[in-house]
Amino acid sequence: MKLKKYILFAVLTICFTACRKLDLPPPNVVQDPDVFTTEPGIRAYMARVYSGLPVEDFRYSPRGMNDFWLVNPMPANTGEALSRDLNGATSENFEYFQMAYPQIRDINYFIQTLPQYANNYTEDQVKNWLGEAHFLRAFTYYALVKRYGGVPLVDRVLNYPDETIEDLQLPRESEEAIWDFIATDLDFAIENMGEENQVGRANKWVAAALKSRAMLHAGSIAKYNQVSLFDGQKRVCGVPAAKANTYFKAAYDAAKMLDGKYSLYKESWSATDKEAQYQNFVDLFFDEDSPENIFVRQYHYPESAHGYDAYNVPRQLMGANGYSAEVNPTLNFVELFDGFPKNANGTIKTLDNNGDYVLYDNTMEIFADAEPRLRASVVLPGDIMKGQSIEIRRGIYTGAVAGGISKLVPESSTSPYPTTNIVSASNLAENLANPYTLPNGDKMTPAGLSGYFTADGTGAVSGFSVRKYIDPDRATADVLENRSDQTWIEIRYAEVLLNLAEAAYELDAAGQNDNNYLQDAFTAINQIRERAGATLLATAADLNNVDIVRNERRKELAFENKIWWDLKRWRILDKEQNGTVYRVLMPFYAAQAGKYFLDARLDQRNSRYTFDVRWYYQQIPNSVISRDPKIIQNPGY
Amino acid sequence: MKKLIYAGLALALFAVTSCSKDYDNYPEPEETLTGSVVDSETGEGIQTEAGGNGTRIRLDELSYSDNPTPYYFYSMQDGTFNNNKIFKGHYRVSVEGPFVPLLQTDASGNVTVDNRKELDINGTTNVQFEVEPFLNVEWVGEPVYNAADSTVTVQARFTRGTSNPNFQQNITDVYLYVNFLPYVGNNYRVDRLSTQVSYSGDTAPVGETITLTSSNKLDQHRDYYLRVGARISYGQNWYNYTTVKKLTIP
């Protein structure tokens, strides 16, 4: 009997202790309670989601997202710029679709799990984080819908193997449903989030700003899109035109919420000083305390860096990695601005009334009164950067100048320059090795130190170089790949004003009159123009064309990876890029006259841009369709 | 050593037997689908471009699955097509291009028109689609070579090809395409010679004779192929074309 008791005791002991041990969670795997019970845990979770957020920043190009090698810059795809490495229209060459859903799962998991641990925090904290997660989800769905139209709508954690593969193969939702889902998520975020958060994270105003962007996009699709694709009863491509005003109104209301919360950056601005206006616009991209910054992504060397400076500095400021001048603004872009002589058709006037070139003492003379925002966005030939005059010269004209120099090649020609009377250089080494002796005995290199070089394209192929976002204080020794760490401003107040102006203009054009929309659009445009140092609109009635609003956007937000999406949502890119060759401005030095002249012409590299209308809705990756046959492909692929 | 030989033999045996003489257990795709896309009014082929944004044939092999991955190929530029590497089976065949689509839906996605065809492809199967082009583009007279400035001038006319108001969007542009090869269209053209005229709103001169001149000098002593295309703002903005005309420059 006693023995039996002992045996029983022993058995029970073994059983219970053993069982308890087996119940222990594996100590080398981070568990939900480790993450969700502490603020640092939540912060770490958020950091991961933010790092995967589809922000189209310094590491975005048609090659990829969060990709370091930025040699196919997006501005060279929109007519903003030319680049030696991107010579024609392209769509994105990577598949965002697959990158989005793991991100959405992480966010859904957060939304589902946090409430179980809510008793560790104050009610406000929980609301704030849930709001933030909804903001992040909306941001991700916006990146999907603007590329693909309607996509599968996943608003919960999908459980495999509890649910079968067949049940989890979701079809595409209608495009309208996705836009509405984004609006709902952002409304939740606006309602639940606080007004403050860490830099680089969202607050309620960020959610409102994103809402103005997304709803403006949705309204534009409703108004301008012609493509229609149905999956059963669901319109997966296209939004009913009747929804346009609803979305424009939502964009307008969301933008209005930011009134007084943010303001345009004017720290060193002066109403009377163009130089100050120029400097102010340069500084706007570098002041961490700018009241204009709404949502930013920070970089910090060496943990997280990019190579924007290395890829885009003018040739003469090139760093040791050997990259430079990938973004060369087109003359078409420069001609959007005012402040230099123009022909009746809006093109730059560099010829006199006899059709001969106007001669200038230097290449900056014609731009002396140019709009400050232009100088701050673009390095004009001969302008100063990092203390150096950026020398951009196509070549030296050695022919006679008496009686005027007539146009070297016709305006509409892409043919090369004649070789007689013109000295040029194929690359920098050759340029430095073969200086030309001027009539007065001085030596001058045929091309400028920053181009144009006929062979290797490392210089300013358009006659201009980009200035926006180039760090003005970075030493040339530090102009390296993965060495730059300036902050990317994903949403700034100027964009919100432009969203407001565009939505208001569209509402006014559609005959909506519950607000004085045209007046609001007028005020917003003039705020932007005043800060830019541009000519103001005199009256609201002058705002009589949607292109006034759109061009303001193109000028203000150039080189910020936004314009491609704008041109797409306006559905005008196929008309703008239809065998299109962009214009360039080539400065020459006339040796006999000792003066410069400027030749406006078509890109002599003959880079032709044709936007394929199918790209308004990008191709859904075939691998996605083979995994989920319920997903139907977009038209034309 | 012996072990090694045995292992080697075993491996060789495995390698030989595992290699099947047949590539797979399906018969080869050796059926032929031919056909054409013609104007339902005139019976003539719908002129299109080769590849790119030309007429595309879509096959759904329904005998394989209710929801198969579609198989696409392009028609030739005169609207005919011919594919002799198709698996035997039951298919739904449709075409898409510069004509009123075979499958139409109303604003809520209900199918209103479905002119797609279901057929068995077996041996040589012929199928013809009678469609309404968006535009009829036709030559007016013959191209004229201007010896004085080495350019070519053509006259053409475009009219609506369908009375369906859903497919009467504005005509955005008309294009004179010039190429060195008989393949000529929006995707095969010599840019410096071809000429585009754009129209804003509904200003396009429907039914009127328009005159287009090549935008640069043509070279002497060679053949050029000319074509005029026009398009409406619908779908993939396909162009409708005239036939191809050859111009020999003396």
Side-chain angles (χ1 to χ4, degrees):
Chain A
M1 193 61 209
K2 217 172 194 178
L3 189 66
K4 267 187 186 165
K5 258 187 192 165
Y6 282 129
I7 289 170
L8 185 67
F9 180 73
V11 167
L12 283 176
T13 311
I14 289 164
C15 271
F16 277 103
T17 52
C19 286
R20 260 177 64 193
K21 271 207 174 117
L22 282 175
D23 260 353
L24 274 181
N28 60 342
V29 175
V30 179
Q31 302 295 316
D32 278 355
D34 305 327
V35 176
F36 284 95
T37 52
T38 65
E39 262 190 77
I42 302 265
R43 207 154 53 231
Y45 199 108
M46 283 290 180
R48 198 178 106 103
V49 176
Y50 272 97
S51 71
L53 204 62
V55 175
E56 286 145 12
D57 62 355
F58 298 117
R59 294 167 67 93
Y60 167 75
S61 77
R63 292 185 71 246
M65 207 178 272
N66 211 359
D67 171 56
F68 85 99
W69 205 42
L70 205 94
V71 294
N72 296 25
M74 197 43 120
N77 200 20
T78 58
E80 291 162 86
L82 297 174
S83 174
R84 68 174 177 280
D85 289 317
L86 188 66
N87 290 301
T90 177
S91 187
E92 286 179 343
N93 299 324
F94 65 100
E95 296 169 345
Y96 179 67
F97 202 101
Q98 278 116 313
M99 297 155 78
Y101 282 96
Q103 174 88 354
I104 289 168
R105 183 182 174 86
D106 283 350
I107 298 167
N108 284 335
Y109 193 84
F110 184 89
I111 292 173
Q112 241 163 277
T113 313
L114 181 66
Q116 299 161 25
Y117 299 91
N119 54 7
N120 294 299
Y121 308 106
T122 66
E123 195 188 334
D124 279 350
Q125 278 177 310
V126 174
K127 274 173 64 179
N128 191 48
W129 287 327
L130 285 177
E132 193 169 4
H134 282 79
F135 162 83
L136 294 165
R137 191 165 68 181
F139 200 107
T140 309
Y141 271 105
Y142 176 48
L144 278 170
V145 70
K146 74 179 179 181
R147 288 178 168 83
Y148 303 106
V151 291
L153 184 57
V154 183
D155 58 355
R156 63 184 181 88
V157 178
L158 303 180
N159 283 313
Y160 178 77
D162 299 353
E163 298 167 271
T164 64
I165 290 279
E166 286 69 32
D167 287 343
L168 294 176
Q169 284 173 333
L170 300 171
R172 295 172 68 177
E173 236 2 281
S174 74
E175 179 169 355
E176 186 185 352
I178 303 292
W179 287 116
D180 290 342
F181 180 72
I182 291 168
T184 313
D185 263 3
L186 289 173
D187 286 338
F188 183 93
I190 294 166
E191 202 171 304
N192 287 282
M193 289 174 84
E195 303 198 10
E196 300 276 326
N197 208 338
Q198 281 180 289
V199 178
R201 288 176 67 176
N203 61 38
K204 71 190 302 170
W205 310 122
V206 178
L210 178 66
K211 194 179 175 200
S212 81
R213 179 193 283 181
M215 291 298 102
L216 180 64
H217 201 136
S220 308
I221 300 295
K223 180 159 182 188
Y224 298 108
N225 169 59
Q226 301 286 331
V227 183
S228 183
L229 178 70
F230 280 94
D231 180 9
Q233 302 288 312
K234 289 177 188 155
R235 188 172 174 191
V236 295
C237 290
V239 174
K243 288 282 289 217
N245 287 342
T246 314
Y247 289 137
F248 285 136
K249 186 84 176 61
Y252 173 88
D253 290 340
K256 274 267 165 185
M257 290 176 71
L258 279 85
D259 245 2
K261 307 294 176 195
Y262 296 86
S263 62
L264 293 179
Y265 181 81
K266 282 178 153 185
E267 292 303 301
S268 50
W269 189 86
S270 150
T272 52
D273 184 355
K274 285 198 155 193
E275 188 64 27
Q277 293 170 352
Y278 153 77
Q279 194 56 50
N280 181 70
F281 202 86
V282 173
D283 294 346
L284 138 66
F285 296 95
F286 295 94
D287 191 335
E288 300 286 332
D289 302 319
S290 162
E292 186 168 342
N293 292 1
I294 297 176
F295 185 49
V296 301
R297 175 176 273 178
Q298 292 178 302
Y299 282 90
H300 186 261
Y301 178 78
E303 302 89 355
S304 166
H306 57 86
Y308 184 79
D309 292 290
Y311 298 120
N312 297 313
V313 287
R315 177 67 177 83
Q316 71 197 79
L317 301 172
M318 185 174 88
N321 290 136
Y323 290 96
S324 65
E326 286 285 0
V327 174
N328 304 281
T330 59
L331 181 56
N332 303 64
F333 171 71
V334 171
E335 283 168 343
L336 290 174
F337 294 84
D338 289 321
F340 49 86
K342 285 188 174 181
N343 297 311
N345 63 1
T347 55
I348 190 168
K349 183 171 162 52
T350 62
L351 302 176
D352 62 20
N353 294 334
N354 300 325
D356 296 329
Y357 290 109
V358 180
L359 297 176
Y360 304 99
D361 290 332
N362 60 61
T363 47
M364 274 302 281
E365 197 178 322
I366 190 172
F367 296 111
D369 288 321
E371 182 184 315
R373 179 173 51 178
L374 170 62
R375 273 189 68 209
S377 306
V378 174
V379 180
L380 302 165
D383 209 349
I384 307 292
M385 179 180 246
K386 299 191 192 179
Q388 291 191 32
S389 169
I390 303 302
E391 199 188 24
I392 299 171
R393 182 167 60 243
R394 174 63 178 76
I396 297 176
Y397 180 78
T398 59
V401 295
I405 307 165
S406 51
K407 187 114 174 57
L408 294 170
V409 291
E411 189 86 24
S412 64
S413 167
T414 56
S415 52
Y417 282 111
T419 48
T420 50
N421 291 338
I422 290 178
V423 190
S424 56
S426 62
N427 58 44
L428 185 63
E430 195 219 295
N431 189 35
L432 297 175
N434 301 303
Y436 178 78
T437 310
L438 300 174
N440 66 4
D442 289 351
K443 302 268 190 188
M444 185 186 235
T445 57
L449 292 173
S450 289
Y452 179 100
F453 304 126
T454 54
D456 65 2
T458 56
V461 293
S462 68
F464 303 102
S465 206
V466 68
R467 186 190 294 274
K468 190 182 270 188
Y469 269 126
I470 300 263
D471 186 346
D473 301 323
R474 182 166 295 276
T476 298
D478 282 343
V479 176
L480 299 171
E481 295 180 277
N482 294 321
R483 182 63 186 80
S484 297
D485 57 3
Q486 56 265 49
T487 297
W488 174 262
I489 308 169
E490 174 57 21
I491 308 179
R492 58 191 179 99
Y493 188 57
E495 186 202 331
V496 174
L497 283 177
L498 288 162
N499 294 347
L500 178 89
E502 193 182 330
Y505 180 88
E506 295 282 11
L507 286 165
D508 180 70
Q512 301 290 303
N513 49 17
D514 51 324
N515 275 305
N516 192 346
Y517 288 118
L518 199 59
Q519 184 65 33
D520 280 341
F522 166 78
T523 311
I525 293 286
N526 267 357
Q527 275 180 272
I528 300 277
R529 287 198 175 185
E530 184 194 31
R531 194 269 300 272
T535 317
L536 299 185
L537 287 168
T539 63
D542 290 337
L543 196 54
N544 54 8
N545 189 326
V546 71
D547 284 339
I548 297 173
V549 185
R550 290 178 178 178
N551 285 345
E552 203 56 42
R553 197 175 177 94
R554 289 176 161 211
K555 290 189 271 189
E556 180 71 25
L557 301 179
F559 317 119
E560 297 181 35
N561 294 342
K562 308 275 192 289
I563 303 301
W564 196 60
W565 299 106
D566 291 331
L567 296 174
K568 278 179 79 171
R569 73 183 163 86
W570 296 328
R571 295 292 193 255
I572 60 171
L573 195 46
D574 61 305
K575 293 173 190 72
E576 283 208 8
Q577 295 187 341
N578 185 18
T580 306
V581 181
Y582 287 104
R583 286 158 56 77
V584 300
L585 188 70
M586 293 283 111
F588 283 87
Y589 185 71
Q592 307 274 347
K595 292 193 179 228
Y596 287 89
F597 63 87
L598 301 167
D599 184 40
R601 61 163 295 166
L602 294 180
D603 178 13
Q604 70 228 47
R605 304 171 311 144
N606 199 13
S607 294
R608 284 194 184 261
Y609 286 75
T610 300
F611 180 87
D612 188 332
V613 279
R614 289 181 299 177
W615 297 340
Y616 285 132
Y617 287 101
Q618 289 173 221
Q619 181 174 18
I620 294 187
N622 286 328
S623 56
V624 167
I625 294 180
S626 58
R627 281 198 299 263
D628 180 357
K630 288 183 195 145
I631 292 182
I632 62 168
Q633 184 58 274
N634 279 331
Y637 295 106
Chain B
M1 193 62 209
K2 227 173 195 175
K3 254 188 193 165
L4 210 66
I5 289 168
Y6 282 132
L9 276 174
L11 259 179
L13 195 71
F14 181 71
V16 169
T17 52
S18 66
C19 204
S20 157
K21 287 184 190 69
D22 302 321
Y23 294 110
D24 62 30
N25 53 358
Y26 277 96
E28 279 182 52
E30 51 194 8
E31 316 308 315
T32 299
L33 179 69
T34 65
S36 54
V37 185
V38 301
D39 187 329
S40 58
E41 207 162 297
T42 64
E44 285 170 22
I46 301 280
Q47 294 286 327
T48 181
E49 62 193 62
N53 262 331
T55 298
R56 187 167 77 157
I57 296 95
R58 171 179 171 149
L59 298 181
D60 292 284
E61 190 183 348
L62 301 177
S63 47
Y64 170 71
S65 156
D66 288 343
N67 184 22
T69 306
Y71 172 70
Y72 294 102
F73 64 98
Y74 286 94
S75 86
M76 289 177 268
Q77 62 181 4
D78 62 357
T80 61
F81 52 88
N82 182 6
N83 187 332
N84 59 6
K85 284 278 180 287
I86 296 189
F87 285 107
K88 189 182 282 187
H90 183 67
Y91 288 85
R92 183 170 58 222
V93 187
S94 60
V95 287
E96 53 191 51
F99 42 81
V100 174
L102 302 186
L103 181 68
Q104 293 166 37
T105 50
D106 64 12
S108 51
N110 300 309
V111 174
T112 52
V113 175
D114 187 355
N115 290 327
R116 298 177 297 178
K117 300 192 176 185
E118 276 193 33
L119 45 93
D120 291 315
I121 297 181
N122 189 0
T124 297
T125 307
N126 190 284
V127 59
Q128 182 165 318
F129 290 94
E130 295 188 350
V131 298
E132 293 182 328
F134 293 138
L135 297 172
N136 290 314
V137 193
E138 54 196 1
W139 295 107
V140 177
E142 289 298 311
V144 178
Y145 177 63
N146 312 308
D149 60 355
S150 308
T151 56
V152 60
T153 299
V154 302
Q155 292 197 314
R157 178 169 49 217
F158 48 83
T159 51
R160 297 281 181 188
T162 170
S163 54
N164 187 337
N166 294 333
F167 305 101
Q168 301 218 331
Q169 283 82 359
N170 289 333
I171 296 162
T172 57
D173 60 281
V174 59
Y175 222 129
L176 166 64
Y177 296 107
V178 183
N179 202 6
F180 303 126
L181 298 168
Y183 299 101
V184 51
N186 194 43
N187 52 349
Y188 297 109
R189 63 170 193 247
V190 179
D191 273 313
R192 70 187 161 83
L193 302 176
S194 304
T195 301
Q196 184 182 28
V197 178
S198 298
Y199 305 108
S200 61
D202 61 350
T203 58
V206 179
E208 293 171 30
T209 300
I210 49 166
T211 305
L212 298 161
T213 302
S214 66
S215 53
N216 264 307
K217 287 183 178 179
L218 276 63
D219 301 333
Q220 306 290 308
H221 315 304
R222 71 180 300 172
D223 292 341
Y224 285 95
Y225 295 86
L226 310 175
R227 214 176 186 196
V228 174
R231 62 176 170 177
I232 62 169
S233 171
Y234 174 82
Q236 287 172 47
N237 296 4
W238 297 275
Y239 278 94
N240 285 101
Y241 292 96
T242 59
T243 53
V244 179
K245 274 197 193 292
K246 182 175 168 184
L247 178 73
T248 303
I249 305 213

